[in-house]
């Protein structure tokens, strides 16, 4: 008994020792200093390399190309899913009639009308799609069924099917189903006559099976049924008459390099802007651009140029045995013949294009020989060549950086030291704000931290170093714990009214360090 | 256990017993710098005040040491049986489970972790440190000499877990401009098989020798003893993971270009991942946390004694250990003592002990090496042991 009591005592002591639980985290404060971030911000960090070019005189250009109009196949020809259900009978009443083995019961040609929009197509090449079919026989004996679609070329042969059915009944017909991949198929849409459009010729032959041991008893109401579906047919090439199609253009096209700019005024000396039209479609067109506007917030500048409201007749491309010879048109718009400079001084976020386009304005003058290759539509693009000899007046960039959520709040306070070595001939004023889920400011980290412009020494711009501190109070850190985004706002200005030339070598070397007290902890 | 050898009163009955059974528990930790108040917060949470941190640093005298252990054991000694016809010798054995941790760190590492790297000038902090943890169980048998209670046990060792981290010749560099941190290091980090954990997990096997040689002085006025504890090793299995890195890790902050590039996730460099990548699995043999003790117990008068002893462990975290004590015996069956000790993992401390024969079957011993540590948050450790023996006659 004494031993048992002793063991119990030790068990209790052990339980007490190991049942102590942590009620709170272990925390302490350290005085620390550490680098936060560093790096160089050069032009290529602000604008994609592919959009920058330096000319022979060492002047940096921003060259931006964007599609204005992309008028493709979907607009011209479209084949919706097409399903045909046909039932064929023996052509007599009553019965049964014994049909000897090998003797014909049904033989007929028929056209399938494809579900095409207004175009009158003669030939297509299928990019993708499937043909799904099903045969049912209600005849009470075996049949030889031959079904061909000579206009559908799959590889080197046309689509055809020969099957021998088994005996069927009204309640339990013989059924045969299959699916064919139409990718790459060439389809003749001229029907059984060879000169119609949007029609596919088919041929059906049904005989009493040649292998039947005895004549097949056929009733007059016995039938063979065919279900045929063209599903998700997408066209790689189409030929025919596309019809006369009139379309209105009303497109808002983002200008990505300028989309991060929040506002301000740009001073430009010159700007090259070209609109290029390339027609790869074998159809004539008339294009009229009634309006091109630069848009920023509520402000708009409308382009004035002879191109506006001037109908452009665009002749058809030529198909040289599969090689398309397009027709090209180019319109140069610059400071000498338009107001393109003031339009871009607005720093437009987008261009609003309005107008109309007519395909085959003169009807079927090609005799049904319009063509189109899906990958080569009619397109209009613009190329803006912006020489960066510019002045900035309060040009305002903003960007948000996502802040990862934290398991533990950051507790402490300190200073952020910011050192910027600037070789841009621009001064920058930086503001940093913490935002919550609703993009509402919950704390101001930095207001108008000034990075001084580089200095011109008579021959070149010499980098200038700016240093400033950001006080990170315990309140700011508390705000950081609730923040989801850091909003960075940068206002850029050039000195005076002189335009400054950028050579592409400009950069800001930034070095951010921190010091202060911070609470460390572990659970 | 001093009493059986010294007690004339119990001599005959003690040696007449057929089996001696014992259980022992010993739990404690000790440091030369880390107070109980700090250990309490490190283990159970709370805010560690700057003042407390500064006091630990001041106590450190360049290097901090801390050791902790928990031990539970069951022993038996066959008193009545002879050993191959030798009546003075008998069989003995034990089952023991031990958890041992020791850490060694210099002032620079402590300062970097608990005070930071603040200042204005270029700063180079030496940040050497090590941490060893081992858990193992022993199952052993041996022989002992009944008159002197000398003997030895050879044990098979089950390795439950080990973790060893050392960082030598390490410096943490902070540039004057605060724009660069660099950790020069030479790290070894070994971990036993993590796929199986817990008591008797069997991640390694080994062998250990425990022994004591008690040499009685003339006229039974005392004895000299030499003890070896946990002299042996464990061969940890092939799933043991060892990482090594001798390198300099630089940190200059986030790359601003990555921060501004929304298509790139900005993450802090993960140096532990680098360390993990260097990991190699394979067998690893490690010494057990053994020690050697040498002591002298000597009678002063009939009922009082003094003792002096020394202990050694050949590791950085453990200084040579010295202990001196005075013991007084009441009625031939109770022994109380006071002790002073210094070295080991800590500094000077004072303890008390009591041993008593209860009736003819039971023996109990209680001991703490540091009375102040038991009652004060400013103590530099806590320790206590209890031992119970039962004589089957």
């Amino acid at each position: 008994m004494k031993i048992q009591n002793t063991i119990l005592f030790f068990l209790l002591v052990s339980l007490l020792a190991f049942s102590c639980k942590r009620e709170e985290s272990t925390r302490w404060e350290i005085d620390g200093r550490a680098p936060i971030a560093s790096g160089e911000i050069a032009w290529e960090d602000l604008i994609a390399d592919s959009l920058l070019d330096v000319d022979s005189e060492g002047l940096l250009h921003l060259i931006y190309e964007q599609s204005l109009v992309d008028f493709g196949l979907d607009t011209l020809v479209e084949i919706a899913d097409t399903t045909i259900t046909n039932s064929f009978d023996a052509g007599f009443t009553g019965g049964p009639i014994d049909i000897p083995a090998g003797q014909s019961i049904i033989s007929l040609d028929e056209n399938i009308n494809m579900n095409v929009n207004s175009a009158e197509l003669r030939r297509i090449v299928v990019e993708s799609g499937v043909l799904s079919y099903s045969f049912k026989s209600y005849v009470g004996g075996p049949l030889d069924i031959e079904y061909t679609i000579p206009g559908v070329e799959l590889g080197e042969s046309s689509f055809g099917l020969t099957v021998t059915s088994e005996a069927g009944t009204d309640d339990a017909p013989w059924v045969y189903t299959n699916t064919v991949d139409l990718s790459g198929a060439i389809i003749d849409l001229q029907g059984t006559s060879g000169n119609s459009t949007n029609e596919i010729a088919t041929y059906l032959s049904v005989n009493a099976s040649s292998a039947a041991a005895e004549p097949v008893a056929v009733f007059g109401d016995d039938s063979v049924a065919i279900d045929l579906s063209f599903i998700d047919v997408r066209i790689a090439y189409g030929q025919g008459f596309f019809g006369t199609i009139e379309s209105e253009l009303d497109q808002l096209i983002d200008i990505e390099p300028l989309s991060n700019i929040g506002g301000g005024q740009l001073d430009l000396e010159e700007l090259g802007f070209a609109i290029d039209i390339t027609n790869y479609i074998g159809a004539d067109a008339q294009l009229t651009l009634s309006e091109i506007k630069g848009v920023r917030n509520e402000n708009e500048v409308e382009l004035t140029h002879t191109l506006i409201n001037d109908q452009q007749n665009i002749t058809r491309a030529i198909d040289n045995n599969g090689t398309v010879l397009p027709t090209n048109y180019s319109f140069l718009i610059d400071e000498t013949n338009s107001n393109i400079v003031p339009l871009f001084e607005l720093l437009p976020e987008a261009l609003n294009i309005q107008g109309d386009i007519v395909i085959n304005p003169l009807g079927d003058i090609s005799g049904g020989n319009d063509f189109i290759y899906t990958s080569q539509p009619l397109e209009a693009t613009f190329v803006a060549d912006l020489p960066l000899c510019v002045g900035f007046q309060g040009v305002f960039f903003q960007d948000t950086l996502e802040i990862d959520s934290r398991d533990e709040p950051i507790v402490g306070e300190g200073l952020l030291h910011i050192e910027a070595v600037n070789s841009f001939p621009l001064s920058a004023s930086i503001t940093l704000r913490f935002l919550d889920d609703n993009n509402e400011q919950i704390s101001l980290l930095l207001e108008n931290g000034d990075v001084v412009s580089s200095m011109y020494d008579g021959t070149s711009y010499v980098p200038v170093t700016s240093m400033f501190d950001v006080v990170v109070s315990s309140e700011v850190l508390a705000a950081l714990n609730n923040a989801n985004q850091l909003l960075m706002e940068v206002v850029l200005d050039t000195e005076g009214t002189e335009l400054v030339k950028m050579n592409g070598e400009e950069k800001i070397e930034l070095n951010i360090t921190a010091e202060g007290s911070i609470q460390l902890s572990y659970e | 256990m001093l009493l059986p050898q010294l007690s004339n009163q119990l001599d005959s009955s003690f040696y007449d017993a057929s089996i001696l059974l014992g259980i022992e528990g010993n739990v404690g930790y000790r440091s030369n710098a880390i107070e109980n108040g700090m250990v309490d917060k490190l283990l159970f949470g709370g805010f560690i005040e700057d003042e407390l941190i500064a006091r630990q640093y001041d106590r450190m005298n360049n290097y901090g040491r801390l050791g902790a252990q928990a031990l539970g054991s069951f022993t038996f000694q066959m008193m009545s049986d002879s050993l191959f016809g030798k009546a003075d010798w008998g069989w003995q054995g034990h089952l023991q489970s031990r958890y041992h941790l020791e850490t060694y760190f210099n002032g620079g590492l402590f300062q970097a972790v608990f005070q930071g790297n603040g200042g204005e000038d270029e700063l180079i902090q030496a940040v050497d440190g090590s941490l060893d943890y081992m858990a193992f169980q022993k199952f052993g048998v041996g022989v002992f000499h009944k008159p002197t209670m000398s003997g030895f046990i050879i044990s098979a060792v089950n390795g439950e877990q080990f973790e060893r981290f050392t960082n030598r010749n390490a410096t943490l560099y902070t540039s004057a401009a605060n724009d660069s941190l660099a950790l020069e290091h030479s790290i070894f980090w070994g971990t036993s098989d993590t796929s199986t954990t817990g008591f008797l997990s069997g991640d390694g096997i080994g062998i250990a020798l425990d022994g004591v040689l008690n040499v009685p002085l003339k006229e039974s006025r005392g004895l000299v003893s030499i003890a070896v504890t946990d002299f042996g090793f464990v061969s940890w299995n092939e799933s043991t993971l060892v990482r090594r890195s001798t390198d300099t890790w630089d940190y200059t902050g986030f790359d601003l270009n990555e921060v501004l590039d929304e298509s790139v996730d900005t993450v802090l460099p993960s140096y532990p991942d680098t360390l993990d990548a260097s990991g190699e699995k394979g067998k690893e043999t490690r010494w057990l946390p053994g020690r050697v003790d040498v002591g002298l117990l000597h009678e002063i008068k009939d009922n009082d004694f003094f003792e002096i002893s020394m202990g050694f462990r050949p590791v950085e975290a453990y200084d040579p250990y010295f202990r001196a004590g005075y013991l007084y015996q009441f009625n031939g069956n109770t022994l109380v003592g006071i002790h002073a000790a210094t070295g080991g993992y800590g500094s000077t401390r004072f303890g008390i002990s009591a041993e008593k024969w209860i009736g003819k079957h039971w023996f109990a011993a209680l001991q703490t090496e540091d009375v102040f540590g038991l009652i004060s948050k400013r103590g530099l450790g806590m320790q206590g042991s209890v031992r119970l023996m039962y004589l089957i006659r």
Side-chain angles (χ1 to χ4, degrees), chain A residues 43 46 265-266 388-395 397 420-429 450-456 461-464 466 490-496 498-502 506-508:
Chain A
W43 280 109
L46 303 172
Q265 176 72 41
L266 194 67
L388 289 176
C389 176
V390 290
F392 284 74
Q393 295 174 37
V395 172
F397 286 89
V421 181
N422 183 17
S423 66
F424 280 91
L426 302 162
S427 64
S429 176
D450 288 325
V451 176
V452 178
S453 165
S454 61
M455 299 273 290
Y456 190 64
Y461 283 94
V462 179
V464 172
S466 304
V490 182
V491 180
L492 300 175
D493 286 286
T494 45
E495 298 292 324
E498 290 283 312
L499 303 187
V500 292
K501 292 183 177 179
M502 308 290 176
E506 295 86 359
K507 64 185 178 187
I508 295 179

Side-chain angles (χ1 to χ4, degrees), chain A residues 2-3 6-7 9-10 17-18 20-42 45-46 399-401 404 417 488 510-515 519-520 522, chain B residues 23 25 41-48 50 53 112-123 174-181 251-257 259-260 262 266 362 386-388 390:
Chain A
K2 286 179 180 177
I3 291 177
T6 305
I7 293 170
F9 168 75
F10 278 101
F18 290 102
C20 295
K21 289 183 179 174
R22 293 171 62 84
E23 293 180 352
E24 55 179 326
S25 60
T26 298
R27 308 176 310 281
W28 68 97
E29 272 186 5
I30 64 166
D31 288 327
R33 49 193 174 128
I36 299 297
S38 62
E40 290 182 357
I41 300 176
D45 298 308
L46 303 172
D399 200 1
T400 53
L401 306 175
D404 292 337
H417 301 293
M488 180 172 62
L510 265 175
N511 191 17
I512 305 171
T513 61
E515 65 174 310
Q519 185 172 292
L520 302 182
Y522 64 87
Chain B
I23 58 170
K41 289 181 174 175
L42 289 171
L43 291 178
F44 302 112
F47 183 75
I48 307 172
D50 290 349
I53 290 170
V113 172
F114 289 102
Q115 295 180 313
N117 62 341
E120 293 182 350
D121 301 323
E122 181 181 74
L123 181 65
T174 306
S175 67
N178 302 345
D179 58 354
S180 171
L181 298 176
Y251 176 62
T252 55
F254 290 114
D255 182 337
L256 264 181
N257 304 92
V259 173
L260 295 173
E262 291 176 3
T266 308
W362 286 95
V386 60
R387 185 173 187 185
L388 283 176
Y390 184 73

